[in-house]
Amino acid sequence: MTADTGNSRALRSAILHCPAKATPDDPCIEYIADGVLWIDNGLIKACGPAAQIVPMLPGSVAVEHYPGKLLMPGFLDLHVHYPQFEMMAAYGDQLLDWLNRYTFPTEMRYTDYAYARRQAEGFLDQLIANGTTTALVFATSSVSSVEAFFEAAFARNLRMLSGKVLMDRHAPEPLCDTAESAYADSEALIKRWQAKGRLGYAITPRFAPTSSEAQLEAAGALRKAYPDTYVHTHLAENRNEVAWVAELFPERRSYLDVYDHFGLMDSRSIFAHGIYLNDSDLKRLSQCRATLCHCPSSNLFLGSGLFPLKRALNAGIQVALGTDVGAGTSLSMLRTLGDAYKVQQLLGEQLAPSLGLYLLTLGAARSLGVDRKIGNFEPGKEADLVLIDPLATDELAARVEYNTGPESLLFALSILGDNRCINRVWVMGEPVHPATPSDCPAQL
Ligand code: GUN
Ligand code: ZN
């Protein structure tokens, strides 16, 4: 083992993560009851039982001990709208009316950079407080909204992805761009932000109904011109939406085929929802190694439908989880996992806790192609971590005697847990939550 670089820390607690061999079919987990994670210069240097790692540590490295807590990789939220954090719990409508009545008016505020920056900072504070350290984030159609988000994420050294929303029709005029301005503005943002720090750029047509064919063509051209970008959009979320897309694009075989036709489908495409897809759509998604992002809280809140998770996984499709705030009603990925479990129950299926951990961490990192950087505790990865307090609430504390192992605990956390369980968060090995820790850890 080489000497540390002088910027080391070691965290001791129970440890839970998915090893590299984990797959959706066999989402095995590794649990270390008394573990140590050694971090050097923001990267994981070693992870293992305390009895093995502690003797390897240079004398200069103090061990921060968190007895009774659980260390996990930071969570990934692969579909969330930062400008909608302020409009969660909007009453009464399903998707298309909800967009017109609540969402579009809210998003108009984000042309004001100062406002957008304030909101982006508040959103990131809350994301971190929920243990989410990487997210694929919708901004709005205004360039200011994207600048504000990237500036805020860059200053915090976060691994985040976002992009300008493209929409040139079927939305209020102040939110609409054009095919040409969408291309030019996105290109300027890509040049400024793609791969800056830990940031990534996602080409973001809102959904097929709000983009003309010319704009979707421009989006496909952008994707081709900038191979390191992603595509992030909505797909087949709501029955009326699907029927509208069929009317707007009569020559396309399906909703998915609209995106496919315009060159927006490959292994760097993340499609939120995908509830209403046919077998040939599933086959095509699998062939392209694209990702479907299941957003259970949103699907329940808007009454959109029940995502057939097993059918998607059986078709070999990569699946991730997203909060989809503000149609989703919480930034907590623990809650989101609990909602995903309940949706599967309504379909007569189960979602095993080990698969849940995979979807929140390593699986999502694989969807983004960043699993060499984040997603578990393999040496060399970036130390984005969350420390869970399994006794944070009265309900969890009461449940503890029924915990018969790590899977049982994980399940309890997904059903009963939320941001109250997020005790601490580190980004690239640096503590970021709570902002000023009040209880100093014991030093060994
Ligand atoms: N489809 C198009 N725009 C949106 C949005 O903002 N939220 C959700 N849930 N679906 C969408
Ligand atoms: Zn969404």
Side-chain angles (χ1 to χ4, degrees):
M1 188 66 59
T2 52
D4 74 284
T5 60
N7 184 17
S8 264
R9 58 173 15 110
L11 311 176
R12 180 172 181 173
S13 83
I15 287 176
L16 183 61
H17 72 144
C18 292
K21 66 179 181 187
T23 64
D25 292 335
D26 183 13
C28 49
I29 57 174
E30 182 179 25
Y31 176 72
I32 309 170
D34 181 15
V36 167
L37 197 66
W38 180 9
I39 301 160
D40 186 45
N41 244 353
L43 304 181
I44 292 161
K45 193 167 176 105
C47 171
Q52 184 189 319
I53 305 289
V54 169
M56 292 163 40
L57 296 172
S60 57
V61 179
V63 178
E64 300 166 30
H65 196 195
Y66 300 102
K69 306 289 195 295
L70 181 65
L71 203 52
M72 294 207 273
F75 304 137
L76 286 85
D77 179 348
L78 289 207
H79 181 67
V80 58
H81 301 245
Y82 97 81
Q84 295 178 16
F85 184 60
E86 61 176 284
M87 54 151 288
M88 282 189 289
Y91 176 78
D93 291 320
Q94 296 210 348
L95 176 66
L96 300 175
D97 293 327
W98 174 86
L99 284 172
N100 285 317
R101 178 139 45 140
Y102 299 109
T103 313
F104 292 154
T106 304
E107 293 191 3
M108 285 189 210
R109 298 177 188 149
Y110 288 73
T111 48
D112 174 350
Y113 176 86
Y115 183 79
R117 182 66 188 265
R118 250 191 337 271
Q119 295 299 110
E121 298 288 356
F123 168 82
L124 288 173
D125 286 344
Q126 291 305 313
L127 206 63
I128 293 293
N130 277 283
T132 298
T133 49
T134 288
L136 177 55
V137 182
F138 257 68
T140 73
S141 51
S142 101
V143 169
S144 301
S145 74
V146 187
E147 289 284 352
F149 180 77
F150 277 139
E151 295 278 5
F154 182 71
R156 296 170 189 235
N157 200 20
L158 288 166
R159 184 168 283 286
M160 289 284 157
L161 304 104
S162 189
K164 186 196 118 59
V165 173
L166 315 181
M167 48 198 296
D168 64 351
R169 62 173 178 169
H170 300 138
E173 198 275 327
L175 285 178
C176 284
D177 52 13
T178 65
E180 295 73 27
S181 72
Y183 190 100
D185 288 344
S186 301
E187 184 172 51
L189 286 164
I190 291 167
K191 288 183 172 160
R192 186 155 149 72
W193 292 107
Q194 168 61 30
K196 183 167 175 179
R198 304 174 76 204
L199 303 176
Y201 195 89
I203 297 160
T204 310
R206 179 171 214 116
F207 66 157
T210 45
S211 285
S212 63
E213 300 213 352
Q215 184 168 74
L216 291 170
E217 211 166 291
L222 263 178
R223 177 73 192 93
K224 204 163 165 201
Y226 295 95
D228 293 339
T229 57
Y230 296 84
V231 169
H232 183 200
T233 188
H234 297 92
L235 168 70
E237 170 181 3
N238 164 290
R239 283 199 167 91
N240 292 341
E241 171 212 17
V242 173
W244 192 22
V245 170
E247 272 171 38
L248 292 170
F249 299 90
E251 66 287 9
R252 301 273 65 90
R253 185 184 54 73
S254 68
Y255 193 157
L256 183 73
D257 191 44
V258 175
Y259 296 134
D260 203 3
H261 176 77
F262 290 104
L264 296 169
M265 256 192 79
D266 59 38
S267 64
R268 294 172 79 85
S269 303
I270 286 86
F271 298 106
H273 308 296
I275 299 173
Y276 302 105
L277 298 172
N278 60 37
D279 285 345
S280 49
D281 290 335
L282 296 185
K283 197 165 159 201
R284 186 78 185 116
L285 283 162
S286 169
Q287 266 175 354
C288 292
R289 301 207 50 72
T291 291
L292 283 183
C293 184
H294 173 34
C295 305
S297 157
S298 162
N299 296 162
L300 293 168
F301 179 73
L302 289 180
S304 298
L306 305 176
F307 176 71
L309 175 65
K310 284 281 143 59
R311 180 170 173 244
L313 290 173
N314 288 341
I317 294 166
Q318 302 203 75
V319 176
L321 290 177
T323 60
D324 195 22
V325 158
T329 52
S330 166
L331 281 177
S332 168
M333 290 307 290
L334 291 174
R335 270 204 195 177
T336 301
L337 181 54
D339 287 341
Y341 176 85
K342 293 174 193 170
V343 166
Q344 293 315 299
Q345 284 284 56
L346 286 168
L347 290 169
E349 303 280 358
Q350 276 77 50
L351 196 178
S354 53
L355 176 59
L357 180 63
Y358 179 81
L359 296 177
L360 258 49
T361 58
L362 186 60
R366 284 180 176 156
S367 283
L368 295 177
V370 294
D371 49 306
R372 289 174 59 178
K373 305 268 187 202
I374 54 172
N376 67 2
F377 292 150
E378 282 177 284
K381 289 201 182 180
E382 298 164 354
D384 289 351
L385 327 164
V386 43
L387 188 74
I388 303 275
D389 180 356
L391 303 178
T393 70
D394 292 342
E395 292 87 348
L396 279 163
R399 164 66 155 76
V400 85
E401 69 180 275
Y402 291 102
N403 287 338
T404 50
E407 295 226 16
S408 172
L409 173 59
L410 196 53
F411 183 62
L413 286 167
S414 75
I415 299 300
L416 303 174
D418 52 33
N419 58 338
R420 291 168 295 175
C421 302
I422 307 301
N423 191 257
R424 272 159 214 277
V425 180
W426 291 262
V427 167
M428 288 295 283
E430 295 300 320
V432 295
H433 174 78
T436 47
S438 51
D439 52 331
C440 288
Q443 302 269 312
L444 281 192

